[in-house]
Amino acid sequence: MGIDPKAIDWDSLGFNLTETRSMYKAVCKREGSWSTGGLIPFGNIELSPAAGVLNYGQGVFEGMKAYRTIKNRIVIFRPDMNAKRISMSSQRLCMPAMDKDLFLRAVLATVKDNLDYIPPNGKGSLYLRPVVWGTAPVLGVKPVDEYTFIVYASPVGPYFKGDIKPLNLLVTNDYHRAAPKGIGNVKAIGNYSASLLPLIKAKNEGYDEVIYLNAGDEELIEEAGAANMFIIKDNVLKTPKLAGSILPGVTRDSVLTLAREILEIDVQETDVTLNEVCTADEVFCTGTAVVVTPVGKIASDNKEYIINGEKIGKITNELRSLLIGIQREEREDTFNWLQSVD
Ligand SMILES: *Cc1c(COP(=O)(O)O)cnc(C)c1O
């Protein structure tokens, strides 16, 4: 039922599950619509061993954060984007899409009931994990007849506790994350089970994450683990275009907007070759967890490429400051990205 929030040591939070008071639950029959749902105490769930999610991986998720700004308001960053994406993800796996209102109600209710689990300003955030899965039993391969939607929360620490440390990435030629026309463009749970082995192997060799190449000819970069990738060369910002195997990140979209509208630099959503990445002026990754994180070193084919002297590059730093500034309310929220929880 959640640990006592007063017992949490805010300075020692990492990215682990800390159980909170409550979670939001709604259900849906395949041909029906989603129940209104409501909050229940955080705890274990009961599931048939034949549940669709356990046997055939019918499950999708989202990741977002609620946090205190310097104005001491509690906000969530662009939750409407996550609402849209979970519907897309659900439909790809033949699960009923939910309307935006249910998603937002569930997320807001979860935050409001767990306010005392939100770390103080600067100490981290309340990570929100909406999940949808096939609950009903099934034997033959087909979409099941009943689905469950749960939003749970966990306080987490900041990605970097002290100074920013640029990432050390390993290009893999042994594994692909996603195939064209597969499910790489949705947040399907199965994508992440496939990424565990490459990640563990890379970590064992001392790298932070894996760079995945395109499944076709391995000439192009796709993503770095569960983060989108960007490069800067001669003041042009480039990121792989959304052509089916790239996850459309909310942070990716926000960085593109900031680069176009505020920095007014040339922005290209296009093919990005591995060679371009290794010779770029700056490389960085984006995601809800990593925000904007510089890449300092890339290993590919037993060669090492140092990016920008393993320091955070100028444009990377500008984009990171702009985004964090808006999120913390140190800058004006020009694009209306913050959803207030109060
Ligand atoms: C979630 C995710 C991202 C980042 O998306 P954000 O919306 O920015 O958090 C990027 N790539 C993959 C594969 C992901 O699962």
Side-chain angles (χ1 to χ4, degrees):
M1 267 208 37
I3 72 157
D4 180 0
K6 292 188 194 69
I8 299 174
D9 173 11
W10 302 115
D11 291 307
S12 69
L13 286 174
F15 200 82
N16 302 305
L17 180 69
T18 300
E19 297 183 358
T20 67
R21 180 172 300 111
S22 56
M23 59 190 190
Y24 196 99
K25 180 183 175 192
V27 294
C28 185
K29 301 274 188 209
R30 184 148 65 98
E31 304 297 345
S33 52
W34 284 96
S35 66
T36 307
L39 290 166
I40 54 172
F42 181 89
N44 291 350
I45 52 163
E46 203 169 76
L47 212 51
S48 162
V53 64
L54 296 180
N55 292 265
Y56 301 126
Q58 250 193 321
V60 299
F61 68 95
E62 274 302 323
M64 47 214 295
K65 286 170 171 175
Y67 46 85
R68 276 176 223 283
T69 70
I70 56 159
K71 294 185 180 162
N72 215 19
R73 286 206 311 153
I74 292 170
V75 299
I76 309 176
F77 188 71
R78 304 186 76 183
D80 50 312
M81 297 282 281
N82 301 90
K84 230 191 284 172
R85 192 167 64 191
I86 204 167
S87 284
M88 272 176 34
S89 299
S90 299
Q91 283 169 317
R92 177 64 182 83
L93 297 198
C94 291
M95 310 200 295
M98 71 185 67
D99 64 46
K100 197 169 127 187
D101 292 344
L102 170 60
F103 183 84
L104 294 178
R105 186 178 341 117
V107 165
L108 288 173
T110 308
V111 177
K112 282 184 185 171
D113 198 48
N114 293 284
L115 286 179
D116 42 354
Y117 289 91
I118 304 182
N121 176 256
K123 303 259 185 200
S125 54
L126 187 69
Y127 187 79
L128 300 166
R129 174 49 61 83
V131 208
V132 182
W133 66 77
T135 314
V138 66
L139 207 51
V141 176
K142 60 174 187 247
V144 301
D145 289 333
E146 191 176 329
Y147 297 87
T148 302
F149 169 45
I150 280 189
V151 182
Y152 66 86
S154 172
V156 296
Y159 191 74
F160 289 111
K161 287 218 162 125
D163 295 340
I164 300 167
K165 204 177 121 284
L167 299 175
N168 183 8
L169 304 182
L170 175 66
V171 175
T172 177
N173 295 102
D174 295 329
Y175 304 98
H176 292 139
R177 194 193 79 89
K181 306 184 186 181
I183 54 173
N185 58 343
V186 298
K187 259 179 135 70
I189 57 173
N191 290 340
Y192 304 84
S193 59
S195 73
L196 295 175
L197 184 62
L199 176 64
I200 293 300
K201 286 188 167 180
K203 292 219 162 172
N204 285 343
E205 293 178 42
Y207 299 95
D208 298 306
E209 255 298 354
V210 175
I211 295 182
Y212 290 103
L213 304 176
N214 67 315
D217 58 11
E218 300 192 339
E219 294 281 334
L220 310 176
I221 57 135
E222 297 223 312
E223 299 198 48
N228 294 114
M229 280 192 85
F230 288 79
I231 68 163
I232 295 149
K233 182 76 178 178
D234 299 328
N235 291 316
V236 179
L237 181 70
K238 281 193 192 182
T239 192
K241 63 175 189 272
L242 301 177
S245 52
I246 308 279
L247 197 284
V250 178
T251 322
R252 175 187 181 278
D253 183 83
S254 308
V255 161
L256 289 172
T257 302
L258 292 169
R260 286 190 183 111
E261 307 283 324
I262 311 273
L263 298 188
E264 297 185 25
I265 55 175
D266 188 359
V267 171
Q268 299 177 9
E269 294 179 70
T270 179
D271 287 341
V272 181
T273 66
L274 176 58
N275 185 51
E276 282 179 284
V277 178
C278 294
T279 57
D281 299 331
E282 304 178 30
V283 179
F284 64 89
C285 299
T286 66
T288 297
V290 302
V291 196
V292 170
T293 291
V295 174
K297 215 164 31 170
I298 295 172
S300 172
D301 211 6
N302 292 318
K303 284 192 282 289
E304 257 192 0
Y305 302 88
I306 306 287
I307 313 291
N308 195 50
E310 292 190 58
K311 291 195 291 286
I312 182 164
K314 180 169 166 284
I315 297 178
T316 306
N317 199 32
E318 281 171 358
L319 288 166
R320 180 184 157 83
S321 303
L322 284 171
L323 183 59
I324 292 178
I326 290 174
Q327 291 181 334
R328 291 187 184 153
E329 290 198 297
E330 291 161 356
R331 285 183 65 88
E332 196 192 335
D333 179 19
T334 336
F335 305 102
N336 251 319
W337 283 342
L338 302 185
Q339 158 99 49
S340 174
V341 171
D342 315 298

